[in-house]
Amino acid sequence: MDLSSFASLVSFVSTHNEFFVAFVHCRIRYSGRAEAELDWGDRMIVLKQDNALLIHQPVNGNPINYIKPGAHISVFREEGCVIIEGAHPQTNDVVLCEVSSVYDAMSRRLEDGRKQLLAGTEADMSDYIRDNPQVISSDFTPLSREEHTKYGFIDVFGHDKQGTLVIVECKRYAASLACVTQLRRYVEKMKELRGTDNVTGVLASPKITPNAQAMLSDWGFSWARVEPPKRLLINRHQKTLADW
Amino acid sequence: MDLSSFASLVSFVSTHNEFFVAFVHCRIRYSGRAEAELDWGDRMIVLKQDNALLIHQPVNGNPINYIKPGAHISVFREEGCVIIEGAHPQTNDVVLCEVSSVYDAMSRRLEDGRKQLLAGTEADMSDYIRDNPQVISSDFTPLSREEHTKYGFIDVFGHDKQGTLVIVECKRYAASLACVTQLRRYVEKMKELRGTDNVTGVLASPKITPNAQAMLSDWGFSWARVEPPKRLLINRHQKTLADW
DNA sequence: TACTACATCTCGCAT
DNA sequence: ATGCGAGGTGTAGTA
């Protein structure tokens, strides 16, 4: 595709909200929260229907450059190149992509109103703990879950049979030092605002790192092994698709 | 493009490491660290040269489904559809994408060995503070920076004229409660290992939230306003590109 | 709008 | 391989 046609197409899709993709040779500059530059190479440029701009190198999962949805797209036809500028009015990020060759490009209006259903999140874990409090301890009684309080956002809150308040923090992955300090912050805030020391914390996660376990013990908190529940089950060992 | 050609093309590019993009109508299932399903709709499927699989809806910056680089790609030609399976051997993630229509597709080998140069990171901030210690305080003397010690990863470490040890934690954005607890953890570990209470902390960032400032004060720590330095300057207000 | 915390976070580095 | 922390993190939820 010649550069002038490319320039026209980019202008068209950005104003008509079509999905656009191209393989190009380009170099890139970025300025905003940081400053970056990327020398000449082959990349994929994507312009989405909400004017998100993504530039991908041939490898790696993440875009090497991007502007979030809501970009203002400008196209400049220069001598021997086309410059695409994506500028985000809110974040003050600007990407300049100087394109010298266009290998291939395509655009189309895509229709998709679906949202993904997801299971196995931290919220699913706190649901599970509320319904199965014995996974925390035999005498744990939950009172609330997922509550935004002045103590912070507490995943599960309850008490034990001795009347000690118990704050449960859920993590869907191996709990680290940062998770322990988060829990500690909630417990301390609760102690301060209730004017009592009779508050403890439980970290619920599938795993915990040794340092995190040590810090947890130092603070008199405990760990409960809990797996994030996954309700939408696909048999992971079944490589064929007979039952779909 | 008909489904059989599509199936052949996907098989080809995944074994020959070409960059592949298609606009399709599909539904998706994911199983791995979580479970997800996404009903029929129009999407862009991307297969990169390192066998990263990305599926984008028409809007939003991030892929709605993905497998990280290194996926094993399988293609199944079924009655009325093609199923693309991306399975990652290390992470045990599996994405199944059932494609019923292919609107457009393109593939090509892209060549790009360039790496992006980036300025304005947290490491740049700690460099700047070491070279300009007065931004922390008039009597701060830096001793080391970016040190992986047994106390943790300390951005800048030094002392003041009274001999108090000072741990500086840099953040390139508005410092939050989590940043304060991170600093607090380093200070406490340092106190413990040095056997002294004569240790304090400084949070260096362009902004700080009110709650974080309050917690910082509670712990006797202080805040220094520091901007992340950006060396690769583009004039943000200059919308044309004369000087590039 | 600002603040908080999750995320299939991803990624790199060091142990 | 695991632990730890940064990221142009992005995104959702709430005040």
Side-chain angles (χ1 to χ4, degrees), chain B residues 178-239:
Chain B
C179 306
V180 181
T181 58
Q182 183 185 353
L183 176 60
R184 176 182 165 189
R185 176 153 53 87
Y186 295 157
V187 170
E188 287 187 346
K189 193 74 183 172
M190 180 72 79
K191 282 181 178 174
E192 176 192 327
L193 290 172
R194 295 250 174 157
T196 173
D197 274 347
N198 204 21
V199 184
T200 191
V202 177
L203 197 48
S205 66
K207 292 208 306 185
I208 185 166
T209 67
N211 284 346
Q213 176 64 73
M215 189 178 185
L216 205 59
S217 302
D218 283 350
W219 280 86
F221 302 157
S222 60
W223 175 64
R225 183 193 170 94
V226 181
E227 298 285 337
K230 299 171 186 176
R231 295 201 192 97
L232 308 167
L233 291 176
I234 300 177
N235 183 342
R236 204 166 310 176
H237 302 291
Q238 179 180 335
K239 292 292 181 189

Side-chain angles (χ1 to χ4, degrees), chain A residues 65-85:
Chain A
N65 269 290
Y66 60 90
I67 299 284
K68 294 202 270 200
H72 180 256
I73 304 295
S74 309
V75 183
F76 305 94
R77 179 71 178 95
E78 309 263 326
E79 185 64 32
C81 73
V82 169
I83 293 166
I84 299 175
E85 178 190 271

Side-chain angles (χ1 to χ4, degrees), chain B residues 61-62 118 121-122 169 171-172 182 185-186:
Chain B
N62 285 344
L118 186 66
T121 63
E122 200 176 285
E169 174 61 31
K171 292 295 167 189
R172 57 190 312 289
Q182 183 185 353
R185 176 153 53 87
Y186 295 157

Side-chain angles (χ1 to χ4, degrees), chain A residues 219-232:
Chain A
W219 281 85
F221 301 159
S222 60
W223 175 64
R225 183 193 170 92
V226 180
E227 298 284 337
K230 299 171 185 175
R231 295 201 192 95
L232 308 168

Side-chain angles (χ1 to χ4, degrees), chain A residues 135-166:
Chain A
V135 301
I136 298 302
S137 78
S138 56
D139 70 343
F140 174 65
T141 303
L143 295 172
S144 68
R145 77 161 265 287
E146 292 266 293
E147 246 193 330
H148 286 268
T149 70
K150 54 195 161 192
Y151 316 105
F153 181 85
I154 293 177
D155 290 335
V156 184
F157 174 65
H159 62 79
D160 64 17
K161 288 206 169 69
Q162 288 77 49
T164 302
L165 298 176
V166 179

Side-chain angles (χ1 to χ4, degrees), chain A residues 51-114:
Chain A
N51 274 8
L53 174 66
L54 310 172
I55 301 169
H56 278 268
Q57 290 185 297
V59 294
N60 298 324
N62 286 343
I64 190 66
N65 269 290
Y66 60 90
I67 299 284
K68 294 202 270 200
H72 180 256
I73 304 295
S74 309
V75 183
F76 305 94
R77 179 71 178 95
E78 309 263 326
E79 185 64 32
C81 73
V82 169
I83 293 166
I84 299 175
E85 178 190 271
H88 202 287
Q90 275 77 46
T91 62
N92 277 330
D93 290 308
V94 181
V95 164
L96 301 174
C97 182
E98 181 181 355
V99 175
S100 64
S101 310
V102 180
Y103 303 123
D104 211 343
M106 62 192 201
S107 65
R108 166 177 276 266
R109 176 80 194 173
L110 297 185
E111 303 292 343
D112 181 12
R114 297 293 183 170

